[in-house]
Amino acid sequence: MKVAVVTGASRGIGRACALRLAEDGMTVVVNYSRSEAAALEVVEQIKAKGGDAIALRADVSDPAAVKEMFKTVWKTYGQIDVLVNNAGIVRDEYLLMLTEDSLNTCLDLNLKGYFYCAQQAVLKMFRKKSGVIINMSSVSSKMALAGQSVYSATKGAINSMTQTMAKELAPYGIRVNAVAPGFIETEMIDALPDDKREEYLKNVPLGRFGKVEEVAAMVSMLASDATSYLTGQVIVLDGGLSL
Ligand code: NAP
């Protein structure tokens, strides 16, 4: 049975990915940093359907916590086959309003956290000479949204990192791809004021926001052997928004 680690899986896109990968027959590590009850609920849901999962708390912007989490995964399962680097935050602030704290929080989680998790996962994947890493990017890496200079910078960096890691790790049988979702119905989107929601919706050719299950379906495909020849790609999943 394959083992998948999904960061930020207590809600939103990460939760949907955890549920979907469990449906695909994988054992799932449900990572979270604060929302323990929600993470345990995801685990329960997986177990209720006959799957296997554990919830592990780790702030993935903290390298020591990440190391500890992967140590536990290794001790418990002895393998790591799939990493979904998903935990991320938005800090929408115009350049001149941008605080040092927002800048650091965003860079630490959305960028450095992806490196910390990839390093720990790859150390284990090397042993099997196989593995899949899926990085959650964003359409913000492809098109400009005012106020998102830091967020989009982290997501643009994720795209570049995906390409480079894919090249580095291909000789070891490890594939690395990214998914760049557009507007997906999650708490991140719920937090938008109504006028902003309407404005954004007008620009989506498919006329609606995406569903977390649709992102999870793409992650499932990227994690599967159906995409065994695909690496280093950023799959834009945005209802046509960036066209
Ligand atoms: P969300 O609903 O806000 O969920 C974020 C998840 O990350 C939660 O499970 C949260 O758990 C966890 N998390 C936050 N800080 C963490 C930390 N330091 N360490 C570990 N886990 C942490 O977010 P989402 O909308 O599903 O977004 C998920 C990813 O998709 C992000 O990378 C985001 O940039 C990307 N994305 C989202 C959209 C969208 O429309 N929603 C579009 C494009 C890209 P805790 O509460 O336990 O901290």
Side-chain angles (χ1 to χ4, degrees):
M1 198 184 249
K2 286 186 177 171
V3 175
V5 177
V6 183
T7 68
S10 60
R11 61 171 184 272
I13 292 171
R15 176 179 186 274
C17 292
L19 295 174
R20 177 59 195 258
L21 294 178
E23 265 176 40
D24 293 344
M26 296 187 198
T27 292
V28 180
V29 176
V30 176
N31 160 256
Y32 67 99
S33 68
R34 285 161 307 220
S35 310
E36 184 169 36
L40 289 174
E41 192 270 334
V42 177
V43 169
E44 282 317 306
Q45 210 169 314
I46 290 171
K47 287 188 171 169
K49 287 190 175 170
D52 184 21
I54 49 168
L56 290 183
R57 181 197 293 271
D59 173 350
V60 297
S61 65
D62 172 357
V66 169
K67 225 175 185 170
E68 203 50 45
M69 173 171 73
F70 278 89
K71 215 163 119 186
T72 306
V73 177
W74 189 251
K75 264 198 208 152
T76 312
Y77 297 113
Q79 66 190 83
I80 295 164
D81 303 281
V82 174
L83 165 67
V84 183
N85 256 332
N86 167 78
I89 42 159
V90 186
R91 282 287 182 273
D92 280 3
E93 285 168 17
Y94 291 110
L95 183 64
L96 295 182
M97 315 287 273
L98 182 65
T99 62
E100 182 77 14
D101 182 55
S102 293
L103 182 60
N104 287 333
T105 309
C106 217
L107 291 174
D108 286 349
L109 179 59
N110 295 10
L111 182 55
K112 289 162 86 176
Y114 282 43
F115 277 97
Y116 300 145
C117 291
Q119 276 183 326
Q120 293 304 314
V122 164
L123 275 172
K124 308 304 181 199
M125 288 172 177
F126 269 157
R127 302 186 187 201
K128 268 180 100 176
K129 284 218 178 311
S130 75
V132 175
I133 297 176
I134 299 156
N135 295 319
M136 203 54 69
S137 178
S138 166
V139 73
S140 301
S141 65
K142 301 277 181 186
M143 58 183 289
L145 287 174
Q148 290 205 330
S149 58
V150 178
Y151 180 75
S152 67
T154 62
K155 296 302 186 181
I158 292 305
N159 297 354
S160 305
M161 160 206 187
T162 297
Q163 285 184 339
T164 308
M165 280 189 189
K167 203 163 192 174
E168 261 182 47
L169 299 173
Y172 305 96
I174 301 169
R175 297 188 295 111
V176 188
N177 289 294
V179 180
F183 299 122
I184 307 298
E185 284 171 356
T186 59
E187 286 176 24
M188 224 181 225
I189 290 294
D190 288 349
L192 289 171
D194 282 351
D195 56 332
K196 273 270 175 245
R197 276 180 74 94
E198 287 309 311
E199 185 191 320
Y200 288 164
L201 209 45
K202 272 191 218 137
N203 296 317
V204 183
L206 283 181
R208 63 173 177 84
F209 293 137
K211 297 184 192 332
V212 289
E213 292 79 10
E214 291 172 313
V215 182
M218 179 55 68
V219 166
S220 159
M221 196 156 99
L222 292 174
S224 79
D225 290 342
T227 54
S228 49
Y229 201 51
L230 188 82
T231 197
Q233 302 306 307
V234 179
I235 312 292
V236 180
L237 197 76
D238 68 350
L241 174 69
S242 58
L243 297 174

